Amino acid sequence: MPMAQWVLLRPVTMGLLLQSLLLLLLLLGCFLHPATAFPKGCYPSEEEGLKTFRCSNARLTEVPRDIPNDTNKLYLDSNRIPFLPRDAFRDLPLLLELDLSHNAIASVESGAFRGLAEHLHSLDLSSNRLVSVSKDAFSNLKAKVNLSNNPWLCDCRLQELVRTVELVAGSSGGIVCDSSAQEEHVGKAFLQVIADTDLCNAYKKTTDIAMLVTMFGWFAMVISYLVYYVRQNQEDARRHLEYLKSLPSKQRRSEESSTISTVV
């Protein structure tokens, strides 16, 4: 090839080589770092025109972070999730249904469902390990909630929670007292219990009684101290008088005069 022709073709050849190298690097990057890396066992789909993300039976131990933010229905059921942290679903503003049933959830932090109040209409927390949850965890939430089949402690806190949320129709019978301050409530449906007893009022009465007992205890201690103080002074005065009586008459009068002048 003539030297002049080689010089002219060199830039074209170098350009093609650079383009090929860039294309190879791009393909390699896509292979090593795929655009959508979902957790193992999770996959997106579309059901009845709604974008769905399923992670059922995926052995998850926490709420996944790589959930598409346009998801409408999220299934995290039948996993090993132990608790719901604050802002666990804040990046899912379009979520309509959330299934967290059949997990190991024992704690729900306040603000766990923050950001879902506008659209969420179904929340399933059935068959978990919930014993006690603050009503603040569900503040402003308009979704219908399923709280059945959990080992609930039937107390004022649960009463406030049940009166704050809207329960899924037919699920209230599954909210059963696994434990309670009153043994006769154990094993009963919670709505049956609060139909007969206001647990918050009973709690207030118990607190008032405890305060009265404490106040009475302090009062009794003060009275006991005063009685002891008076008796101790009386004993000291009696001993002093006996001492004065045992002195010779002149010295006794002198002591009495000194005592009187001191008092004056």
Side-chain angles (χ1 to χ4, degrees), residues 21-139:
L21 182 60
L22 288 174
L23 182 60
L24 180 62
L25 290 174
L26 181 62
L27 291 173
L28 183 62
C30 291
F31 177 77
L32 295 177
H33 302 283
T36 53
F38 299 130
K40 185 178 180 181
C42 300
Y43 62 92
S45 64
E46 188 165 330
E47 300 176 6
E48 300 177 353
L50 297 175
K51 292 187 177 181
T52 303
F53 195 74
R54 288 189 175 273
C55 289
S56 304
N57 290 294
R59 298 183 179 181
L60 299 176
T61 56
E62 63 180 2
V63 176
R65 298 179 182 179
D66 300 319
I67 302 172
N69 56 16
D70 59 350
T71 299
N72 303 128
K73 299 170 69 175
L74 177 58
Y75 293 88
L76 299 175
D77 56 299
S78 302
N79 283 290
R80 304 170 184 174
I81 300 173
F83 75 101
L84 300 179
R86 187 180 183 88
D87 294 325
F89 307 98
R90 67 177 180 178
D91 296 326
L92 302 173
L94 302 180
L95 200 61
L96 301 174
E97 298 181 16
L98 176 57
D99 189 348
L100 290 161
S101 64
H102 296 90
N103 272 281
I105 300 171
S107 174
V108 180
E109 291 187 1
S110 180
F113 304 110
R114 188 165 57 180
L116 302 181
E118 293 298 322
H119 297 92
L120 192 70
H121 63 71
S122 176
L123 172 60
D124 194 344
L125 283 166
S126 64
S127 301
N128 276 283
R129 299 177 184 176
L130 295 172
V131 175
S132 183
V133 179
S134 171
K135 65 177 181 178
D136 296 335
F138 298 84
S139 59

Side-chain angles (χ1 to χ4, degrees), residues 71 97 158 177 192 206 215 217 223 252:
T71 299
E97 298 181 16
L158 180 58
C177 299
Q192 178 186 348
T206 302
M215 291 175 64
I223 294 298
R252 184 171 62 248

Side-chain angles (χ1 to χ4, degrees), residues 101-244:
S101 64
H102 296 90
N103 272 281
I105 300 171
S107 174
V108 180
E109 291 187 1
S110 180
F113 304 110
R114 188 165 57 180
L116 302 181
E118 293 298 322
H119 297 92
L120 192 70
H121 63 71
S122 176
L123 172 60
D124 194 344
L125 283 166
S126 64
S127 301
N128 276 283
R129 299 177 184 176
L130 295 172
V131 175
S132 183
V133 179
S134 171
K135 65 177 181 178
D136 296 335
F138 298 84
S139 59
N140 301 320
L141 204 61
K142 300 175 183 177
K144 294 182 178 180
V145 185
N146 188 345
L147 299 172
S148 62
N149 298 321
N150 281 281
W152 290 109
L153 166 64
C154 290
D155 59 0
C156 178
R157 203 177 192 197
L158 180 58
Q159 180 173 312
E160 290 179 340
L161 172 61
V162 169
R163 290 179 176 176
T164 298
V165 301
E166 181 181 357
L167 298 176
V168 172
S171 68
S172 59
I175 304 176
V176 177
C177 299
D178 187 72
S179 59
S180 175
Q182 302 181 36
E183 288 295 328
E184 64 269 21
H185 295 160
V186 176
K188 290 185 178 180
F190 183 67
L191 291 190
Q192 178 186 348
V193 170
I194 59 175
D196 301 327
T197 307
D198 186 342
L199 296 179
C200 291
N201 189 42
Y203 174 78
K204 184 176 182 300
K205 287 181 178 179
T206 302
T207 304
D208 291 344
I209 291 172
M211 289 181 65
L212 286 173
V213 170
T214 303
M215 291 175 64
F216 178 78
W218 280 105
F219 182 73
M221 288 177 62
V222 171
I223 294 298
S224 299
Y225 176 77
L226 289 175
V227 170
Y228 170 79
Y229 179 78
V230 170
R231 288 182 176 178
Q232 188 67 26
N233 282 317
Q234 286 179 345
E235 184 66 22
D236 290 343
R238 185 183 63 79
R239 290 175 181 175
H240 186 65
L241 287 174
E242 289 179 354
Y243 169 75
L244 291 176

